[in-house]
Amino acid sequence: MPINSPKEVTDGYIAGAIGKATMAAWRLLVLSFFAGMLVALGAVASSTAAQGLPDAGTARFVTGAIFPVGLMMVVLLGTELFTGNALMVSAVIARKITMVQLLRNWALVYVGNFCGAVALAWLMAAFGQLDIGGGTLAVYTAKVAAAKCSLPWMNAFVLGIFCNLLVCIAIYLGNTAHDTAGKILGIFFPIMAFVVAGFEHCVANMYYIPAGIFAAANPAYAGMIADAGINVSMLDLGTFFGANLVPVTLGNIVGGAVVGVIMYATHATKKRS
């Protein structure tokens, strides 16, 4: 079966954005909460697999091979993900939705993603999942969170741009396929690339950093984390938001918008005046 062309994908996404923009608030919140948990589950699985690997390159490769399952579930189950919805700018340009509708969608989906990811982080820390490896997973989780919070603001912003370039390209590639296997393959490689490259995804970080904060605050893990030489002083809400989530979110918006604008300009069906 032939694939959908870039023109078909672009026109289809713009048409689909109307439904996203007009969806009832309660439904957006439920679907975005679920999406936040699904992305976080990909992070849980990939961290669990990578935490015992001594070589950073191998750990990134393993993480990149597993993490994409989160976005696969998000796309195939029709849930709402903030980073993917950055593509909705193309519908604004096409005058199918308004800027107010776009911002409403983004705000509700962002809140839902945040609540879903943080809820899963708390559940993993509170009910023993971080005990894997005798607590080494908790140490790894704190290490990842501290590294993310220590990024310079502009670094986090730029890494966020390139992350969502790849995420939105993954959504486009997935939408070229008519079957589930094709969609999975289209999603897998760009997501793997952003993880291996170390780019920053705001929804993933809604899991990674709170999970590190919860791990560092747990007396069962605090000693091991300190012995590992991890600087946990930056693992607080202020640093989480100011040093990571804000710049990464802004970068993700820019990256997704770039894909949306380029695909609209080059492939969308334009109305003739």
Side-chain angles (χ1 to χ4, degrees):
M1 182 180 294
I3 65 171
N4 294 318
S5 69
K7 174 181 171 55
E8 290 171 321
V9 174
T10 302
D11 288 345
Y13 190 87
I14 290 172
I18 299 171
K20 290 175 176 287
T22 58
M23 191 181 297
W26 71 266
R27 191 162 181 248
L28 270 177
L29 287 169
V30 170
L31 290 174
S32 57
F33 183 92
F34 194 26
M37 293 197 77
L38 294 176
V39 170
L41 285 169
V44 170
S46 58
S47 292
T48 303
Q51 54 89 22
L53 299 173
D55 178 70
T58 303
R60 283 196 178 190
F61 181 82
V62 170
T63 302
I66 297 172
F67 181 86
V69 69
L71 189 65
M72 292 173 190
M73 293 187 290
V74 164
V75 170
L76 294 173
L77 292 175
T79 59
E80 292 288 316
L81 187 67
F82 175 80
T83 45
N85 285 6
L87 284 169
M88 290 173 65
V89 296
S90 59
V92 175
I93 299 169
R95 298 183 180 179
K96 298 295 185 181
I97 66 173
T98 67
M99 181 60 72
V100 171
Q101 289 175 314
L102 173 67
L103 295 177
R104 170 187 177 270
N105 176 276
W106 282 359
L108 290 171
V109 171
Y110 195 87
V111 169
N113 289 167
F114 183 87
C115 292
V118 173
L120 189 71
W122 181 79
L123 290 168
M124 295 299 98
F127 293 97
Q129 200 270 345
L130 299 184
D131 290 342
I132 288 175
T136 56
L137 179 55
V139 175
Y140 181 81
T141 301
K143 178 182 177 181
V144 169
K148 289 180 176 293
C149 285
S150 65
L151 286 171
W153 201 96
M154 280 303 299
N155 290 32
F157 173 72
V158 172
L159 293 176
I161 292 174
F162 286 101
C163 169
N164 215 29
L165 277 171
L166 288 169
V167 169
C168 291
I169 288 169
I171 291 171
Y172 256 86
L173 295 184
N175 282 331
T176 64
H178 294 271
D179 64 310
T180 300
K183 289 180 181 294
I184 287 172
L185 283 173
I187 291 166
F188 178 81
F189 290 101
I191 301 301
M192 181 181 188
F194 105 64
V195 175
V196 172
F199 297 152
E200 293 288 309
H201 187 272
C202 67
V203 180
N205 289 357
M206 292 171 186
Y207 168 78
Y208 282 122
I209 298 175
I213 293 172
F214 295 142
N218 189 327
Y221 309 132
M224 296 178 65
I225 292 170
D227 290 343
I230 299 168
N231 180 10
V232 297
S233 63
M234 62 192 67
L235 293 182
D236 57 60
L237 291 178
T239 307
F240 169 36
F241 284 100
N244 186 275
L245 202 57
V246 169
V248 170
T249 298
L250 293 174
N252 288 167
I253 290 171
V254 172
V258 166
V259 176
V261 169
I262 289 173
M263 297 307 288
Y264 172 81
T266 57
H267 292 294
T269 299
K270 315 294 194 304
K271 287 185 177 180
R272 294 181 179 178
S273 56

Coordinates of all heavy atoms in Angstrom, one line a residue, residues 13-15 17-18 87-98 264:
Y13 N -3.3 16.8 8.9 CA -3.0 17.3 10.2 C -3.7 18.6 10.5 O -4.3 18.9 11.6 CB -1.5 17.5 10.5 CG -1.2 17.8 11.9 CD1 -1.0 16.7 12.8 CD2 -1.2 19.1 12.4 CE1 -0.8 17.0 14.2 CE2 -1.0 19.3 13.8 CZ -0.8 18.3 14.6 OH -0.7 18.5 16.0
I14 N -3.7 19.5 9.5 CA -4.4 20.8 9.6 C -5.9 20.5 9.9 O -6.5 21.2 10.8 CB -4.2 21.7 8.4 CG1 -2.7 22.1 8.4 CG2 -5.1 22.9 8.4 CD1 -2.3 22.8 7.1
A15 N -6.5 19.6 9.2 CA -7.9 19.3 9.4 C -8.1 18.7 10.8 O -9.1 19.1 11.5 CB -8.4 18.3 8.3
A17 N -6.4 19.3 13.4 CA -6.2 20.3 14.4 C -7.4 21.0 14.8 O -7.5 21.5 16.0 CB -5.1 21.3 13.9
I18 N -8.4 21.0 13.9 CA -9.7 21.7 14.3 C -10.3 20.9 15.4 O -10.9 21.5 16.4 CB -10.6 21.7 13.0 CG1 -9.9 22.6 11.9 CG2 -12.0 22.3 13.4 CD1 -10.7 22.5 10.6
L87 N 2.7 21.5 16.4 CA 2.4 21.5 14.9 C 1.1 22.2 14.6 O 0.9 22.6 13.4 CB 2.3 20.0 14.4 CG 3.6 19.3 14.2 CD1 3.3 17.8 14.0 CD2 4.5 19.9 13.1
M88 N 0.3 22.5 15.6 CA -1.0 23.1 15.3 C -0.8 24.5 14.8 O -1.8 25.1 14.4 CB -1.9 23.1 16.6 CG -2.4 21.7 17.0 SD -3.2 21.7 18.6 CE -4.6 22.7 18.2
V89 N 0.4 25.1 14.9 CA 0.6 26.4 14.3 C 0.3 26.4 12.8 O -0.1 27.5 12.3 CB 2.0 26.9 14.5 CG1 2.4 27.1 16.0 CG2 3.1 26.0 13.9
S90 N 0.4 25.3 12.2 CA 0.1 25.2 10.8 C -1.4 25.5 10.5 O -1.8 26.1 9.5 CB 0.5 23.9 10.1 OG -0.2 22.8 10.8
A91 N -2.2 25.0 11.5 CA -3.7 25.3 11.3 C -4.0 26.7 11.6 O -5.0 27.3 11.0 CB -4.5 24.4 12.3
V92 N -3.2 27.4 12.5 CA -3.4 28.8 12.7 C -3.1 29.6 11.4 O -3.8 30.5 11.0 CB -2.6 29.3 13.9 CG1 -2.7 30.9 14.0 CG2 -3.0 28.7 15.2
I93 N -2.0 29.3 10.8 CA -1.5 29.9 9.6 C -2.6 29.7 8.5 O -2.9 30.6 7.7 CB -0.2 29.4 9.1 CG1 0.9 29.7 10.2 CG2 0.2 30.0 7.8 CD1 2.2 29.0 9.9
A94 N -3.2 28.5 8.4 CA -4.2 28.2 7.4 C -5.5 28.8 7.8 O -6.5 28.7 7.0 CB -4.3 26.7 7.3
R95 N -5.6 29.5 8.9 CA -6.9 30.1 9.4 C -8.0 29.1 9.6 O -9.2 29.4 9.4 CB -7.3 31.2 8.4 CG -6.3 32.3 8.3 CD -6.8 33.4 7.4 NE -5.7 34.5 7.3 CZ -5.9 35.6 6.6 NH1 -7.0 35.8 5.9 NH2 -4.9 36.5 6.5
K96 N -7.6 27.9 10.0 CA -8.6 26.9 10.4 C -8.9 27.0 11.9 O -10.0 26.6 12.3 CB -8.1 25.5 10.1 CG -7.8 25.3 8.6 CD -9.1 25.3 7.8 CE -8.8 25.0 6.3 NZ -10.1 25.1 5.5
I97 N -8.0 27.5 12.7 CA -8.2 27.7 14.1 C -7.7 29.1 14.5 O -6.8 29.6 13.7 CB -7.6 26.6 15.0 CG1 -6.1 26.6 14.9 CG2 -8.2 25.2 14.6 CD1 -5.4 25.7 15.9
T98 N -8.1 29.6 15.6 CA -7.5 30.9 16.0 C -6.4 30.7 17.0 O -6.2 29.6 17.6 CB -8.6 31.7 16.8 OG1 -9.0 31.0 18.0 CG2 -9.9 31.8 15.9
Y264 N 3.7 23.5 6.1 CA 2.6 24.3 5.6 C 3.0 25.0 4.3 O 2.3 25.0 3.3 CB 2.0 25.3 6.6 CG 1.0 26.2 6.0 CD1 -0.3 25.8 5.9 CD2 1.4 27.5 5.6 CE1 -1.3 26.7 5.3 CE2 0.4 28.3 5.0 CZ -0.9 27.9 4.9 OH -1.8 28.8 4.3

